Amino acid sequence: MALPSLNAILQNGIPTVVCARPWAEDLLRAYPIEGFIPMSGAWKTDRKRVAEHRHQHGHDHALGLLLPDSLSSALVFRLAGLQCAGYRDDGRSLLLKWPFSKPVPKPHAVESWFMLTRSALSKWHHPLSSEKPGPTLGLSLTCEHKAAAQTLLTNAGLEPGGFILIAPTATGRHKGQVKVWPGFDSLTRILQEKGFNVVMCPPPNEKEEALRNAPTARCLSAQGLGAFATLTRMSALVICNDSGVSHLAAAAGAQQITLFGVTDAKHTGPWSPSAVCLGKMGQWPDTDIVLEHALQFLNRQSPSTQPS
């Protein structure tokens, strides 16, 4: 969801180093960034990594843009010697050189981060002509990402557009509630009875849960995020929870159905015109409703999508 912000910075010709969790490095391989610093979540370790990178690469006058709202992110950058822009939150205003108030009413996260980026760039004399992010995230992928996804399909005997990709897991909880739609098993079996190929491609740490939640779905070998994002684009349809998969599918421009029951689609739903959001906070969608929308997607597509 931070891609519009990253693109805005890069299009201004500003040399950029991305600090993020290690999994993001593969996803950003197609972007002309100057460096990537993997963040561990431990503030002492992260402060050291940022400070060392600055001194090694001569970034003594670099500025920081903090998209996360956390106190720890502001502390890491401040102690690493960076002057930063970010939203006032979590008692961190004193750590920011350019603190901004959050927009009211609360917008979607993509819009919120883009507004912050726009405000920071204006302060830094790099004003943006666009006031809002575009309708799509437009994730760029490398030839290697595409080749890896194609090899995976070839080895599995699948064709692009000839399978439905489900993601029946979601890490963490939201206010103590499980974020996984309970109908993946029944939906998978119904789609299989209708002749559709239903596959999943969970990361190793989620494979066991995925097999519990959809035991009859075909489980493909785990991929890096770039190849997985390509796989979502090559599928006939992605069906997932409000999770990282939903945002990856949106970034890749995949056809998708995202299922909600404990979170709010208004603020965290997929940023994509190719996405349908079903359910709402406090009420998961029925299997029949999800099946109806899935069949509508599939019936609009090419013959390769149709059941064998």
Side-chain angles (χ1 to χ4, degrees):
M1 290 193 289
L3 285 176
S5 294
L6 176 60
N7 282 324
I9 294 169
L10 293 174
Q11 288 167 8
N12 262 274
I14 303 172
T16 304
V17 175
V18 174
C19 302
R21 293 290 182 152
W23 52 258
E25 185 172 13
D26 178 62
L27 199 61
L28 297 177
R29 291 197 186 280
Y31 289 81
I33 59 176
E34 289 211 346
F36 182 92
I37 303 176
M39 306 297 277
S40 67
W43 71 267
K44 289 184 178 180
T45 300
D46 292 340
R47 182 211 64 79
K48 182 178 179 182
R49 288 177 179 174
V50 174
E52 287 179 348
H53 189 281
R54 287 187 62 220
H55 296 313
Q56 289 172 3
H57 296 271
H59 295 159
D60 292 336
H61 302 290
L63 304 175
L65 175 63
L66 297 174
L67 298 185
D69 293 336
S70 64
L71 176 63
S72 61
S73 63
L75 182 64
V76 164
F77 274 41
R78 179 63 179 268
L79 293 179
L82 285 165
Q83 294 183 323
C84 296
Y87 280 132
R88 292 184 176 95
D89 202 6
D90 204 12
R92 67 185 196 156
S93 292
L94 294 178
L95 299 175
L96 300 173
K97 172 69 173 179
W98 298 278
F100 296 98
S101 298
K102 286 188 172 182
V104 178
K106 182 180 180 181
H108 190 281
V110 171
E111 296 173 303
S112 178
W113 288 339
F114 189 83
M115 291 176 187
L116 172 61
T117 302
R118 190 172 184 274
S119 297
L121 289 177
S122 179
K123 287 287 187 181
W124 300 337
H125 308 293
H126 291 280
L128 294 179
S129 58
S130 176
E131 295 187 4
K132 296 181 179 180
T136 64
L137 298 178
L139 173 66
S140 296
L141 296 163
T142 67
C143 293
E144 290 76 14
H145 292 148
K146 297 170 186 176
Q150 183 58 62
T151 298
L152 178 69
L153 293 185
T154 300
N155 291 340
L158 297 169
E159 295 288 339
F163 63 97
I164 299 166
L165 179 66
I166 64 168
T169 62
T171 58
R173 293 177 176 242
H174 180 73
K175 297 182 179 179
Q177 295 180 293
V178 175
K179 299 194 298 180
V180 178
W181 181 57
F184 276 106
D185 184 21
S186 58
L187 177 68
T188 297
R189 293 175 190 272
I190 294 171
L191 290 170
Q192 289 170 328
E193 289 172 0
K194 292 181 178 294
F196 292 101
N197 290 313
V198 182
V199 307
M200 56 187 178
C201 188
N205 63 318
E206 296 179 27
K207 181 177 179 179
E208 185 176 337
E209 181 189 359
L211 290 171
R212 285 198 306 269
N213 293 342
T216 64
R218 185 172 181 181
C219 191
L220 304 180
S221 59
Q223 301 293 305
L225 286 189
F228 181 82
T230 306
L231 188 66
T232 70
R233 185 182 291 176
M234 299 171 79
S235 71
L237 176 65
V238 177
I239 304 175
C240 57
N241 303 294
D242 177 27
S243 63
V245 171
S246 174
H247 301 305
L248 279 175
Q255 303 287 331
Q256 68 168 299
I257 296 174
T258 299
L259 308 170
F260 290 82
V262 299
T263 51
D264 187 354
K266 182 179 179 181
H267 301 305
T268 62
W271 189 264
S272 169
S274 301
V276 167
C277 299
L278 300 177
K280 59 184 179 180
M281 188 178 291
Q283 184 178 340
W284 288 109
D286 293 334
T287 301
D288 290 345
I289 296 296
V290 179
L291 176 64
E292 177 185 347
H293 281 80
L295 293 177
Q296 288 176 1
F297 265 113
L298 298 168
N299 289 334
R300 291 199 301 265
Q301 296 176 21
S302 64
S304 64
T305 306
Q306 302 308 309
S308 54

